[in-house]
Amino acid sequence: MGRRLVPLTLDNLSDLPTRCRSCVFWELDPVSGRAAVEAGRPGAEKESWISAVLLEWGSCGRVVYVDDVPAGFALYAPPAYVPRATAFPTSPVSPDAVQLMTGLILPGFQGQGLGRVMVQTLAKDVLRRGFRAIEAFGDARWKEPACVLPAEHLLAVGFKTVRPHPVHPRMRLELRTTLSWKEDVELALDRLLGAVQKEPALRPL
């Protein structure tokens, strides 16, 4: 079974689930988001956001493929690029962290460890860019796939609660902890990611 993780770009945005590639929950503030939906422009706004972040900051997501079939994705960016974050009761995201906005492993590919591999890949990318942590707003009452990730899942892949809340706790993953996982886990991840093409070195902004 071939697995690979590649940066999200406008070229592979179409590999995201239909509802996700036209969702602007995180990319716009609540008022602008509603206006985009009412005007029938959420897809265009999503493309515009990804394009702007790619130009100014670089890759803001990963797509995972299993035997060349899209199996899941994750979106992340510094909090300055995530307008919706300020609407949460446990904001703001810490200045030394990148925000994990959302992500999904599609049915049929769950239970294979892809979520954990995704987080590990994101952690290495974010650390390389000079950040110390990844933070996310969790959904403590999660029942079905949505824009806010389930708090229980975030805990399962290593996040810790830094600001409790009955609905939307803010959670944090310290990168030095993530990257010092047990050696056997690290070796397994290296084998899993061995076929992934090396990304070019990021140019300083």
Side-chain angles (χ1 to χ4, degrees), residues 41-77:
R41 290 184 46 81
E45 293 288 352
K46 183 90 164 191
E47 289 188 13
S48 178
W49 182 87
I50 291 174
S51 179
V53 179
L54 282 169
L55 288 170
E56 296 174 13
W57 186 65
S59 177
C60 55
R62 287 291 186 278
V63 184
V64 59
Y65 298 88
V66 176
D67 292 335
D68 293 325
V69 177
F73 76 97
L75 275 176
Y76 57 102

Side-chain angles (χ1 to χ4, degrees), residues 3-4 112-114 117 187-196:
R3 303 181 183 184
R4 59 191 177 96
Q112 301 178 21
L114 292 178
V117 174
L187 286 172
L189 288 166
D190 284 343
R191 291 193 194 100
L192 184 61
L193 299 174
V196 178

